[in-house]
């Protein structure tokens, strides 16, 4: 009888976890490549592309200038998929982040099962999967999800092997930490120790880890971490790679980005209290459920099992350390999310929180899911209203996805009212909670996988580069000049350029002066020096390309166009800055005041130097 019951439980557990993992794969990979590159994604895409072109995996570069601001690993992880695919696109670039998302979910379930039970693990996994901060960054080409995954995996692995620690288990633990550091930075090494510190200090457990094997494993993993930076410092760069503009090596940037930034931030200076509203932001839509559950656990502090109190203290310590750092951005706090999900799930499933506090919050969450689902279905009625207020059609993907998701979510809520609920059977969660979680998951996935990607049709930069490619101008990289800006990574990526382009950033003039000299200048003197340097760069470019068709890229702000117009008049460049040959503005579906790129493609005189003398 007991064996039969065990088999049923094992089968149910496998079914519940299989359903969770299938849903997670859909959530992380559905339409993953539909959206154009945005924000900093172009850096990961272009650095990986240039690594494949040059064959140099040790010197990450943008426009063939070494760019060591982030470690190597997240660039390397893109390359195998690009090689198999035979090229790069948005989907290929985002695969490592999506896989890191799966790894983070696995670590969350593994930790929850070890400390609690499978139901707690499933609820923690569902909540983390559908949190805004997690799903957003797991579908974005960046290092932040890999950082989150390394921290939760390291903590989960520690609890799994603590009682049977050997050299190779220590080594695996440290490799997880250092690989996370090689993806994002040293927080992946520090934060696991912060989380497990209360557990180690309790009953002096740390004493049993004072072993030679522990220290040997640490130094071996540390050596593997520093190896790429060391090799990059001793191995020469192959042309046309150039040194980084700030002349810092990879190891110097490790120090600058991970130590200097913590104590004396040079950028990313959000206020110290920013994480008090940014952490709740990342936990949406579960912020009230998680917050109230953890508050209830604090209320029942004396009744909590020691492992729960230790994990709560460790999570709080991690949050405090992030707040104490002088460099802050909302996505730096992402590693706290899995631990919040685990604690909240334990409070709800194990009765560790205050039930009378949890009940109204769960009821409100269920009501919000019903309202959201109803609005999704009602969006069918909104299509005629859209056409009444806007002159462009709504994206077809969103038009289909919203009502479909609304119907599915409502269906999950209604089916759950049956005596033998299939929702409970598939999710492994209690009735009403399971339908609420699944309905919420369907709506959140609809937004991130369908609605947001569908809006890419209204973004203009990729459309600009597609139009340039379609024009088949036959321009080589040497014929392209970027006015008052770094070479845009999206331009290099989407035009698939095989060599560097010429750029003249608006800050490059500063390299000829000391900081004291710059501070002593008036604003007019600074603008004059900037125009002088940009003009000299443009003159050299035009002289090198006399007799050829070229492409001049610039933003269409007045502060960029007026200096370009003066430079064109002084150098005899045959362009009208008010009439570009290509412009992002032509792809705007509604008027926008944001800056847009413009492109001019003049053919220069055969003897440009003589023409320049005539103009003078």
């Amino acid at each position: 009888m007991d064996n039969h019951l065990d088999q049923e439980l094992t089968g149910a557990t496998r079914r519940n976890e299989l359903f969770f993992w299938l849903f997670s794969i859909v959530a992380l990979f559905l339409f993953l490549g539909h959206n154009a590159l945005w924000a900093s994604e172009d850096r990961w895409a272009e650095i990986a592309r240039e690594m494949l072109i040059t064959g140099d995996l040790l010197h990450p570069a943008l426009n063939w200038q070494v760019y060591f601001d982030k470690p190597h690993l997240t660039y390397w992880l893109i390359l195998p998929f690009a090689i198999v695919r035979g090229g790069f696109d948005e989907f290929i670039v985002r695969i490592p982040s999506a896989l890191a998302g799966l790894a983070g979910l696995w670590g969350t379930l593994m930790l929850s099962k070890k400390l609690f039970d499978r139901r707690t693990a499933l609820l923690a996994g569902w909540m983390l999967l559908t949190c805004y901060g997690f799903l957003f960054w797991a579908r974005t080409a960046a290092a932040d999800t890999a950082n989150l995954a390394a921290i939760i995996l390291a903590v989960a692995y520690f609890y799994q092997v603590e009682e049977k620690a050997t050299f190779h288990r220590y080594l695996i633990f440290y490799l997880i930490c250092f690989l996370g550091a090689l993806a994002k930075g040293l927080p992946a090494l520090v934060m696991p120790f912060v989380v497990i510190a209360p557990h180690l200090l309790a009953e002096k457990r740390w004493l049993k880890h004072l072993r030679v094997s522990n220290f040997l494993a640490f130094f071996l993993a540390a050596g593997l971490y520093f190896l790429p930076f060391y090799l990059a410092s001793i191995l020469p760069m192959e042309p046309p790679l150039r040194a980084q503009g700030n002349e810092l090596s990879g190891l110097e940037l490790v120090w600058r980005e991970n130590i200097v930034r913590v104590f004396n931030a040079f950028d990313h200076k959000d206020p110290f209290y920013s994480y008090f509203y940014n952490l709740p932001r990342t936990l949406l839509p579960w912020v009230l459920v998680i917050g109230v559950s953890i508050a209830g656990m604090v209320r029942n502090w004396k009744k909590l099992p020691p492992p729960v109190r230790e994990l709560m203290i460790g999570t709080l310590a991690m949050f405090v350390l992030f707040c104490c750092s002088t460099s802050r951005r909302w996505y730096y706090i992402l590693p706290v999310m899995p631990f919040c999900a685990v604690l909240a799930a334990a409070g709800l499933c194990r009765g560790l929180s205050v039930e009378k506090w949890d009940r109204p919050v769960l009821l409100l969450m269920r009501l919000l899911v019903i309202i959201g689902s109803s609005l999704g279905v009602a969006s069918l009625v909104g299509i005629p209203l859209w056409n009444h207020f806007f002159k462009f059609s709504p994206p077809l993907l969103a038009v289909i996805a919203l009502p479909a998701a609304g119907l599915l979510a409502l269906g999950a809520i209604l089916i759950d009212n049956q005596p033998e609920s299939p929702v409970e059977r598939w999710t492994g969660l209690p009735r009403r909670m399971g339908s609420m979680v699944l309905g919420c998951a369907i709506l959140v996935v609809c937004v991130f996988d369908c609605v947001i990607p569908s809006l890419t049709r209204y973004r203009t930069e990729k459309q600009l580069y597609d139009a340039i490619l379609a024009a088949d101008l036959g321009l080589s990289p040497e014929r392209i000049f970027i006015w008052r800006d770094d070479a845009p990574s999206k331009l290099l990526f989407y035009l698939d350029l095989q060599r560097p382009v010429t750029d003249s950033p608006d800050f490059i003039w500063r390299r000829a002066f000391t900081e004291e000299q710059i501070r002593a200048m008036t604003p007019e003197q600074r603008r004059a020096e900037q125009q002088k340097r940009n003009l000299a760069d443009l003159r050299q470019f035009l002289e090198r390309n006399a007799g050829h068709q070229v492409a001049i890229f610039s933003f269409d702000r007045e502060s960029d166009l007026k200096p370009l117009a003066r430079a064109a008049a002084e150098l005899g460049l045959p362009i009208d800055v008010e009439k570009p040959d290509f412009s992002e503005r032509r792809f705007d579906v509604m008027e926008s005041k944001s800056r847009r790129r413009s492109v001019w493609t003049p053919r220069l005189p055969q003897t440009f130097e003589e023409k320049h003398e005539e103009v003078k």
Side-chain angles (χ1 to χ4, degrees):
M1 183 68 179
D2 290 339
N3 290 336
H4 179 67
L5 182 59
D6 290 341
Q7 289 175 359
E8 286 186 353
L9 288 173
T10 302
T13 301
R14 289 175 179 171
R15 179 175 62 245
N16 302 152
E17 293 189 1
L18 177 62
F19 180 71
F20 170 76
W21 287 116
L22 289 175
F23 194 97
S24 299
I25 291 170
V26 171
L28 293 173
F29 287 92
L30 182 65
F31 296 120
L32 184 61
H34 193 76
N35 205 12
L37 296 176
W38 72 282
S40 62
E41 282 192 310
D42 54 341
R43 286 189 304 185
W44 270 263
E46 180 56 21
I47 288 173
R49 192 185 72 92
E50 291 185 21
M51 279 185 173
L52 203 58
I53 291 173
T54 62
D56 189 334
L57 305 184
L58 297 173
H59 299 98
L62 285 175
N63 196 32
W64 283 261
Q65 183 174 38
V66 173
Y67 186 87
F68 260 122
D69 285 22
K70 290 290 182 291
H72 300 76
L73 185 60
T74 46
Y75 310 132
W76 290 344
L77 293 176
I78 298 171
L79 298 180
F81 303 103
I83 292 171
V84 172
R85 167 73 169 74
F88 289 83
D89 57 23
E90 293 88 348
F91 179 77
I92 293 297
V93 172
R94 293 174 183 140
I95 287 177
S97 282
L99 293 176
L102 291 176
L105 291 170
W106 186 49
T108 302
L109 266 66
M110 188 165 64
L111 178 63
S112 301
K113 287 179 184 178
K114 179 64 179 179
L115 297 182
F116 306 108
D117 54 35
R118 69 174 188 87
R119 179 167 284 185
T120 301
L122 285 168
L123 180 57
W126 280 107
M127 287 197 294
L128 179 62
L129 172 65
T130 51
C131 278
Y132 158 64
F134 179 84
L135 196 53
F136 179 87
W137 285 104
R139 292 176 57 86
T140 300
D144 300 279
T145 311
N147 186 48
L148 176 153
I151 292 172
I152 185 65
L153 281 172
V155 173
Y157 185 76
F158 165 81
Y159 277 102
Q160 290 285 338
V161 303
E162 180 194 11
E163 298 301 326
K164 43 188 176 181
T166 59
F167 170 76
H168 78 272
R169 290 192 172 100
Y170 283 127
L171 181 60
I172 293 173
F173 171 79
Y174 289 124
L175 284 176
I176 294 171
C177 295
F178 277 110
L179 285 174
L182 200 55
K184 174 75 174 176
L186 294 182
L189 174 64
V190 175
M191 291 306 171
F193 286 97
V194 172
V195 175
I196 64 177
H199 177 76
L200 291 174
L201 292 173
E203 302 178 9
K204 297 183 179 180
R205 294 185 180 95
W206 59 276
L207 290 174
K208 65 181 181 182
H209 295 289
L210 293 178
R211 304 174 182 176
V212 174
S213 59
N214 188 357
F215 292 101
L216 284 177
F218 175 85
F219 287 114
L220 179 57
L224 293 175
Y225 167 78
F226 285 110
L227 182 61
F229 299 105
Y230 172 71
L231 293 176
S233 67
I234 63 172
L235 295 178
M237 295 179 291
E238 295 295 331
L241 284 176
R242 299 164 289 162
Q244 187 153 323
N246 57 24
E247 299 180 353
L248 295 177
S249 69
L251 288 175
E252 288 171 323
L253 278 164
V254 169
W255 177 262
R256 179 174 182 262
E257 290 290 328
N258 294 279
I259 308 300
V260 175
R261 180 187 287 280
V262 170
F263 298 101
N264 185 22
F266 43 86
D267 60 4
H268 297 180
K269 299 179 181 180
D270 287 357
F272 75 93
Y273 54 81
S274 61
Y275 291 142
F276 286 92
Y277 57 81
N278 278 325
L279 179 59
R281 167 189 174 186
T282 64
L283 294 173
L284 287 170
W286 295 103
V287 58
L288 283 178
V289 175
I290 292 174
V292 171
S293 178
I294 293 177
M297 295 170 73
V298 174
R299 172 69 175 77
N300 293 333
W301 182 260
K302 293 182 179 180
K303 300 178 182 178
L304 297 178
V308 179
R309 291 201 297 265
E310 293 161 3
L311 186 61
M312 292 180 71
I313 294 171
T315 303
L316 177 62
M318 177 165 56
F319 177 80
V320 170
L321 278 183
F322 276 121
C323 291
C324 291
S325 170
T326 60
S327 180
R328 305 176 194 91
R329 272 290 186 265
W330 74 272
Y331 45 84
Y332 290 179
I333 202 68
L334 293 180
V336 180
M337 294 173 58
F339 301 99
C340 291
V342 171
L343 290 170
L348 292 169
C349 294
R350 305 279 290 185
L352 302 177
S353 59
V354 180
E355 185 178 356
K356 65 180 181 180
W357 293 4
D358 295 332
R359 193 182 302 115
V361 176
L362 292 173
L363 184 62
L364 175 61
M365 190 69 184
R366 184 179 180 87
L367 180 61
L368 291 175
V369 171
I370 294 173
I371 293 173
S373 305
S374 303
L375 290 175
V377 176
S379 65
L380 287 171
V381 182
I383 296 175
L385 296 177
W386 175 290
N387 293 329
H388 179 74
F389 289 102
F390 299 102
K391 296 181 179 179
F392 54 95
S393 60
L396 180 61
L397 181 57
V399 169
I400 296 172
L402 283 171
L407 287 170
L408 288 172
L410 281 177
I413 297 288
L414 294 174
I415 291 174
D416 201 37
N417 293 322
Q418 296 180 7
E420 294 186 3
S421 170
V423 175
E424 180 180 3
R425 190 165 61 251
W426 283 103
T427 63
L429 300 176
R431 288 185 61 189
R432 301 183 69 80
M433 180 182 285
S435 62
M436 176 197 66
V437 169
L438 182 58
C440 179
I442 291 170
L443 295 178
V444 170
V445 168
C446 170
V447 171
F448 283 96
D449 290 27
C450 299
V451 176
I452 292 177
S454 72
L455 300 178
T456 194
R457 62 180 293 186
Y458 305 131
R459 297 175 59 198
T460 56
E461 193 167 2
K462 183 181 179 180
Q463 296 184 66
L464 170 69
Y465 300 134
D466 287 343
I468 294 173
L469 284 175
D472 195 21
L473 300 175
L475 292 172
S476 65
E478 293 78 11
R479 311 281 187 246
I480 295 175
F481 183 84
I482 314 299
W483 174 256
R484 288 199 165 190
D485 192 19
D486 289 305
S489 299
K490 293 188 185 71
L491 177 149
L492 300 167
F493 182 81
Y494 284 123
L495 298 187
D496 195 24
L497 301 179
Q498 302 297 304
R499 295 181 300 282
V501 303
T502 304
D503 56 11
S504 184
D506 55 3
F507 60 81
I508 196 169
W509 65 274
R510 292 173 172 266
R511 295 178 182 172
F513 302 92
T514 64
E515 287 298 322
E516 292 76 12
Q517 290 174 321
I518 294 173
R519 283 195 292 267
M521 292 180 182
T522 64
E524 291 75 16
Q525 289 174 323
R526 293 179 185 180
R527 285 193 291 269
E529 289 295 336
Q530 178 183 358
Q531 177 69 4
K532 179 180 176 182
R533 175 57 189 266
N534 295 146
L535 183 65
D537 290 341
L538 180 58
R539 178 185 290 113
Q540 293 176 5
F541 171 80
L542 297 177
E543 290 172 353
R544 286 197 308 269
N545 292 283
H548 297 280
Q549 186 178 21
V550 298
I552 311 292
F553 286 74
S554 173
F555 284 118
D556 60 2
R557 298 172 300 194
E558 185 177 355
S559 59
D560 290 312
L561 293 182
K562 279 190 174 181
L564 180 59
R566 290 197 299 270
E570 182 175 342
L571 298 175
L573 177 62
I575 64 171
D576 182 348
V577 296
E578 300 298 331
K579 297 178 181 179
D581 298 303
F582 300 91
S583 173
E584 279 190 75
R585 298 265 172 220
R586 296 173 187 173
F587 304 103
D588 280 335
V589 295
M590 56 196 310
E591 186 176 350
S592 172
K593 294 183 179 180
S594 300
R595 66 181 186 177
R596 294 286 189 267
R597 292 196 186 275
S598 296
V599 188
W600 298 264
T601 57
R603 179 169 292 279
L604 302 180
Q606 287 287 347
T607 53
F608 187 84
E609 293 184 12
E610 295 178 8
K611 179 68 177 178
H612 174 53
E613 291 297 327
E614 292 175 7
V615 172
K616 291 176 66 177

